[in-house]
């Protein structure tokens, strides 16, 4: 894939250009036992694994397969205590089938919604990697209760998890195994034009997720603000039928009086870049104007209030996770091309560093809407960059704004590593985003915007401070951002500090892109 073509600045590091094989998806109507390939992956519930007194499966599909392999599936599942519980999986080498292996993947008591089937896709990707499989078939032992619409959604969820599970970011490794999976065949989950359209939509979203992963994974000596702006411009150039790009430099930002954003950027030798992509549909009128605003700190050392403690700074390359989500969504939408909606993608990209030119605790910054901010904490910098970005977004005449930021550690304390916090004064917009997240299979939780907490953000010499009491910091950060949003514009803030990074895999997640795409499409 050629998502991130960056230039080295420090350490002579160049990301390798890796050609990831394209995985094709197809619907098959032949008999499962006749399918020829490397792995036949069966999603099974606990009920599907029930056996009679003769140790034969009561599920007809499993019993048919088992009879072809002389009872091996029943025997191995019994020996390994495989009961179909969620998270269980086993891969069995077989003879008697055209398939080389059969993989049984537990779905528990049964997925409650289509997105719950992603465990099946993840297991397919894992099994394919382990055995270097080229082609895999996917089927469910039971299709009970699945409507034609839910079958499509289930196939989409499985395909998405398979695509993302197969992807590995090896750009900075000198040695690695190339992924082998090239083809996934679906049985019993639909077919025809609607199936192909749904799977193409899924592939488009995944391409945006992978872009976001690569942007967040890239180290700060490779992904500077300038390079992030180049990646944004590349999206606009690739989808020039629907995108235009505007990249503002320091002098242009000064003309727009972005003192809050430029105050953060002042210490770094890497100059800031203010990114504005605009999507307009190729045909038809525009009915709704939206803005996606992403925090774009390509590195954050904390400034003079420097970060301390183990593990607090090495992952600060992730502090542009909001901008990665915004640009990942832009890439996906450039391929999907939803009608009737105009979308502005806005990122105030910079670094938060230390130097004699940098902002100091106690400095007063003036944002582009004229409001003044006393810097009580140089490490509460993300909200300072977002302040001017939100003012700029409102000036584009949009109806709704969603901003995304790895803003506060307090949100991780409150919601843990896999749930993002959402803050908004608009119940209507909250319902829209939550509905989009449910379709996308991502986790969000609405937190209160407690106005009484604003008292801790008052300054004796300016309109406000940028950081108040550490108690309820996620809430006061959202209240701070609210000061820079026009009251006529519906606005929602997403604090994604937790789910931007997977600590177990030590890699970016690509969080929020599916939700953002679903939200934009729902407004089209």
């Amino acid at each position: 894939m050629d998502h991130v073509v960056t230039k080295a600045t420090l350490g002579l590091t160049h990301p390798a250009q890796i050609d990831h094989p394209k995985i094709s998806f197809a619907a098959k109507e032949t008999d499962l036992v006749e399918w020829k390939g490397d792995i036949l992956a069966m999603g099974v519930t606990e009920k599907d694994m029930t056996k009679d007194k003769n140790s034969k499966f009561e599920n007809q599909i499993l019993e048919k397969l088992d009879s072809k392999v002389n009872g091996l599936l029943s025997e191995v599942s019994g020996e390994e205590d495989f009961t179909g519980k969620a998270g269980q999986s086993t891969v069995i080498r077989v003879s008697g089938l055209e398939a080389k292996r059969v993989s049984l993947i537990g779905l528990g008591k049964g997925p409650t919604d289509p997105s719950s089937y992603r465990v099946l896709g993840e297991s397919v990707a894992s099994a394919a990697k382990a055995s270097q499989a080229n082609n895999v078939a996917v089927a469910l032992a039971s299709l009970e209760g699945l409507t034609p619409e839910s079958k499509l959604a289930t196939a989409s969820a499985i395909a998405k998890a398979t695509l993302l599970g197969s992807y590995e970011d090896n750009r900075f490794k000198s040695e690695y195994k190339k992924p082998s999976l090239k083809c996934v065949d679906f049985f019993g989950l639909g077919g025809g034009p609607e199936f192909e359209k749904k799977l193409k939509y899924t592939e488009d979203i995944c391409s945006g997720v992978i872009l976001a992963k690569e942007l967040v994974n890239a180290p700060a000596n490779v992904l500077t603000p300038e390079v992030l702006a180049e990646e944004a411009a590349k999206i606009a150039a690739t989808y020039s039928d629907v995108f235009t790009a505007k990249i503002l430099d320091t002098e242009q930002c000064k003309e727009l009086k972005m003192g809050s954003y430029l105050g953060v950027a002042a210490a770094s030798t890497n100059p800031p870049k203010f990114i504005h992509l605009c999507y307009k549909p190729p045909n038809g009128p525009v009915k709704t104007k939206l803005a996606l605003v992403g925090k774009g700190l390509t590195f954050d050392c904390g400034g003079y209030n420097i970060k301390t403690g183990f593990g607090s700074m090495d992952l600060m390359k992730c502090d542009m996770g909001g901008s990665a989500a915004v640009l990942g969504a832009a890439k996906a939408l450039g391929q999907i091309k939803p009608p009737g909606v105009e979308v502005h993608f806005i990122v105030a990209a910079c670094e938060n560093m230390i130097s004699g030119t940098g902002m100091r605790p106690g400095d007063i910054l003036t944002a582009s809407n004229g409001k003044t901010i006393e810097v009580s904490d140089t490490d509460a910098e993300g909200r300072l960059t977002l302040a001017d970005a939100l003012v700029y977004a409102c000036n584009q005449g949009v109806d709704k704004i969603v901003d995304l930021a790895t803003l506060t550690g307090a949100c991780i304390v409150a919601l843990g590593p896999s749930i993002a916090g959402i803050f908004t004064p608009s119940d209507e917009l909250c319902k829209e985003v939550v509905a989009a997240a449910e379709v996308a299979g991502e986790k969000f939780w609405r937190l209160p915007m407690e106005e009484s907490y604003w008292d801790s953000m008052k300054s004796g010499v300016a309109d406000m401070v940028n950081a108040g009491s550490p108690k309820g910091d996620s809430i006061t950060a959202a209240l701070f951002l609210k000061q820079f949003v026009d009251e006529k514009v519906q606005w929602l803030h997403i604090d994604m500090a937790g789910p931007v990074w997977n600590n177990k895999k030590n890699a970016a997640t690509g969080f929020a892109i599916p939700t953002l795409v679903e939200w934009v499409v729902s407004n089209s």
Side-chain angles (χ1 to χ4, degrees):
M1 306 183 82
D2 59 351
H3 291 305
V4 182
V5 182
T6 54
K7 55 190 178 184
T9 53
L10 176 69
L12 304 181
T13 302
H14 295 267
Q17 293 303 299
I18 297 175
D19 181 24
H20 294 280
K22 179 177 172 60
I23 301 175
S24 62
F25 296 92
K28 298 290 184 180
E29 296 183 2
T30 57
D31 196 315
L32 272 176
V33 298
E34 298 174 1
W35 180 83
K36 188 173 184 178
D38 294 320
I39 301 175
L40 171 56
M42 296 294 302
V44 297
T45 65
E46 293 176 39
K47 181 181 178 181
D48 295 332
M49 292 301 297
T50 304
K51 299 171 186 174
D52 62 19
K53 61 182 180 180
N54 296 317
S55 296
K56 293 183 179 295
F57 290 108
E58 294 182 1
N59 180 279
Q60 292 182 357
I61 294 177
L62 288 179
E63 180 54 33
K64 184 177 182 179
L65 290 172
D66 199 35
S67 66
K68 291 289 184 178
V69 296
N70 297 317
L72 187 59
L73 301 185
S74 176
E75 180 183 338
V76 172
S77 62
E79 289 177 352
E80 296 184 3
D81 195 28
F82 180 91
T83 59
K85 291 181 179 179
Q88 285 188 318
S89 65
T90 185
V91 180
I92 307 165
R93 182 85 186 196
V94 297
S95 59
L97 291 173
E98 294 295 322
K100 296 177 183 177
R101 298 173 179 84
V102 173
S103 175
L104 300 179
I105 300 165
L107 299 174
K109 298 189 179 300
T112 54
D113 58 77
S115 66
S116 301
Y117 284 96
R118 65 179 179 270
V119 65
L120 178 52
E122 291 167 352
S123 294
V124 166
S126 178
K129 284 180 186 177
S131 62
Q132 288 291 289
N134 293 120
N135 55 344
V136 176
V138 177
L140 301 178
S142 174
L143 296 171
E144 183 181 352
L146 289 181
T147 64
E149 292 77 16
S150 62
K151 285 181 180 180
L152 284 180
T154 297
S156 173
I158 296 170
K160 175 184 170 187
T162 303
L163 275 168
L164 297 179
S166 300
Y167 167 77
E168 290 183 353
D169 190 355
N170 294 315
R171 295 169 301 151
F172 301 100
K173 295 180 180 179
S174 58
E175 295 181 4
Y176 57 89
K177 283 185 178 180
K178 291 184 178 180
S180 58
L181 186 59
K182 296 178 181 176
C183 177
V184 176
D185 293 329
F186 285 98
F187 285 82
L189 293 176
E194 283 300 310
F195 179 90
E196 294 175 6
K197 181 180 178 182
K198 183 68 173 179
L199 271 292
K200 172 63 168 60
Y201 179 80
T202 301
E203 290 173 4
D204 292 340
I205 291 176
C206 287
S207 72
V209 173
I210 289 172
L211 170 61
K213 285 187 173 189
E214 292 191 345
L215 291 173
V216 175
N217 284 339
N221 64 319
V222 170
L223 191 75
T224 62
E226 181 180 4
V227 170
L228 187 62
E230 290 173 1
E231 292 303 318
K234 191 188 302 178
I235 294 170
T238 303
Y239 309 104
S240 58
D241 57 328
V242 290
F243 270 110
T244 56
K246 184 186 294 183
I247 310 297
L248 305 181
D249 60 20
T250 302
E251 291 305 315
Q252 290 168 307
C253 290
K254 284 182 180 178
E255 291 175 9
L256 294 174
K257 299 181 179 179
M258 296 183 177
S260 185
Y261 163 49
L262 293 175
V264 176
S268 178
T269 55
N270 288 313
K273 295 292 179 181
F274 192 93
I275 300 164
H276 177 199
L277 301 184
C278 180
Y279 167 89
K280 292 185 179 181
N283 301 298
V286 170
K287 298 178 181 179
T288 307
K289 293 184 179 182
L290 310 175
L292 298 177
V293 179
K295 176 182 171 183
L297 269 292
T298 58
F299 190 76
D300 173 26
C301 77
Y304 279 107
N305 292 108
I306 194 167
K307 295 179 183 295
T308 57
F310 176 76
S312 63
M313 200 185 296
D314 61 320
L315 284 181
M316 283 301 103
K317 66 178 185 178
C318 297
D319 221 14
M320 38 64 65
S323 67
V326 166
L327 295 182
K331 180 179 176 62
L333 291 165
Q335 299 168 80
I336 296 167
K337 297 177 175 45
V341 62
E342 178 178 305
V343 190
H344 297 265
F345 304 83
I346 297 166
V347 175
C350 66
E351 294 180 332
N352 185 26
M353 303 295 284
I354 296 174
S355 78
T357 62
M359 66 177 180
R360 295 145 297 212
D363 284 356
I364 295 177
L365 310 177
T366 303
S368 48
N369 65 347
K371 293 188 177 181
T372 57
I373 308 155
E374 181 184 4
V375 180
S376 54
D377 185 351
T378 61
D379 194 25
E381 85 301 326
R383 63 198 73 178
L384 294 173
T385 66
L386 287 170
D388 282 325
L390 288 168
V391 172
Y392 183 92
C394 290
N395 290 338
Q396 307 310 306
V398 299
D399 304 303
K400 305 172 188 178
I401 297 174
V402 170
D403 81 71
L404 304 97
T406 49
L407 206 63
T408 66
C411 201
I412 304 176
V413 173
L415 299 178
S418 60
I419 304 172
I422 55 178
F423 302 82
T424 179
S426 170
D427 292 340
E428 179 185 346
L429 183 53
C430 182
K431 288 178 182 178
E432 286 184 14
V433 173
V434 169
E438 289 176 353
V439 174
E442 295 186 308
K443 296 179 181 179
F444 294 80
W445 191 263
R446 188 179 186 180
L447 293 168
M449 295 188 68
E450 177 56 53
E451 291 290 343
S452 66
Y453 287 10
W454 183 249
D455 288 344
S456 72
M457 299 292 286
K458 293 179 179 177
S459 166
V461 292
D463 294 332
M464 67 196 84
V465 295
N466 71 321
S469 168
K471 298 177 181 178
D473 183 42
S474 296
I475 297 173
T476 54
L479 292 171
F480 177 89
L481 296 179
K482 183 185 175 186
Q483 311 306 309
F484 303 92
V485 180
D486 191 311
E487 292 181 355
K488 298 177 183 177
V489 179
Q490 287 183 282
W491 160 75
L492 181 142
H493 162 60
I494 297 175
D495 192 329
M496 53 184 286
V500 72
W501 189 257
N502 186 319
N503 285 310
K504 290 182 180 179
K505 296 181 179 179
N506 199 28
T509 61
F511 182 81
I513 291 90
T515 297
L516 295 180
V517 172
E518 294 291 349
W519 177 64
V520 170
V521 170
S522 72
N523 275 275
S524 67

